[in-house]
Amino acid sequence: MTAKGYLIETRVIILDIEEGRRIWSLGFYGKPLGVPKPKSADFNKPLLLDLIEAIYLVKKGYLKVYDFKTGEELSISELIKIAKRSYDRFEEKYLVYEDLRNMGYIVISGLKFGTDFAVYKKGPGLEHAPYIVDVMVSTDKINTDELIRAGRLATSVRKRFIIAVPNVKKRDVEYLIFKWWRP
């Protein structure tokens, strides 16, 4: 059964509570409005999805997205066009998100850590995210100050810092994982 979501600016909202619960239960997708850290699908609020999550769910056949104002269904290409205007490096970030999700990880925004994604093995509320991921392209430069800052942040919040380097043309992602140690 395909859930119905409505695009409002850069978010997709699933108004039907049962459909929202079902989508959330597929892998901690979205956030129920006003519920900061749900531990189960026992919520009675609409589900709010990020555009990256919504596009992934549309591609998987779990979601259809409609324009909130007109009620018209939006195609995947229309959603991607909107996402490209909303996200810096959307294609690269989406490729990393998709790759991690396809490997079975739970992927959410890493904004509160100053990174692109926080990545879980089990899910938010069940564990702390063991990884934080920054998406970079192969031509990006990172100086030692930035690397040390990222490492200190990751260590202070007990996470492993990962740089994901996607190749959009090859549809491939390389991961650089940092392990900090004390001599």
Side-chain angles (χ1 to χ4, degrees), residues 1-176:
M1 186 164 133
T2 305
K4 189 181 229 183
Y6 296 93
L7 179 69
I8 301 174
E9 294 185 23
T10 61
R11 302 280 184 197
V12 173
I13 189 165
I14 299 174
L15 296 171
D16 183 280
I17 304 301
E18 290 303 317
E19 286 183 356
R21 287 177 179 164
R22 187 175 55 76
I23 292 295
W24 185 86
S25 295
L26 292 172
F28 298 90
Y29 291 98
K31 292 186 178 176
L33 287 176
V35 182
K37 289 186 178 180
K39 290 180 175 52
S40 72
D42 190 25
F43 52 83
N44 292 311
K45 306 282 184 176
L47 187 68
L48 194 62
L49 298 167
D50 178 275
L51 262 178
I52 286 179
E53 292 175 305
I55 290 169
Y56 181 79
L57 291 165
V58 168
K59 284 186 171 185
K60 292 290 186 183
Y62 297 123
L63 178 70
K64 288 188 179 196
V65 177
Y66 299 84
D67 184 284
F68 187 73
K69 293 178 184 171
T70 66
E72 292 180 24
E73 185 177 351
L74 298 168
S75 69
I76 194 74
S77 61
E78 289 171 310
L79 289 170
I80 290 171
K81 189 185 294 185
I82 293 164
K84 283 181 179 180
R85 290 193 304 257
S86 304
Y87 284 91
D88 182 40
R89 294 183 172 170
F90 167 75
E91 289 178 292
E92 290 83 0
K93 289 178 183 176
Y94 180 81
L95 182 59
V96 171
Y97 177 89
E98 181 181 58
D99 189 54
L100 290 167
R101 276 288 186 173
N102 287 345
M103 285 191 284
Y105 291 103
I106 308 300
V107 184
I108 65 169
S109 169
L111 186 61
K112 75 178 182 178
F113 301 111
T115 61
D116 293 309
F117 301 114
V119 179
Y120 297 81
K121 293 177 183 176
K122 297 177 188 170
L126 301 176
E127 66 174 335
H128 291 285
Y131 310 109
I132 52 176
V133 177
D134 258 348
V135 178
M136 302 180 84
V137 296
S138 61
T139 57
D140 285 346
K141 292 185 181 352
I142 185 168
N143 67 39
T144 54
D145 290 348
E146 291 169 334
L147 193 58
I148 290 167
R149 190 176 306 117
R152 288 184 61 87
L153 168 70
T155 301
S156 70
V157 294
R158 296 186 180 114
K159 297 181 185 346
R160 302 286 294 276
F161 176 61
I162 298 173
I163 295 176
V165 185
N167 184 325
V168 175
K169 288 181 183 173
K170 292 183 178 178
R171 306 291 303 159
D172 184 42
V173 182
E174 289 185 36
Y175 296 95
L176 305 169

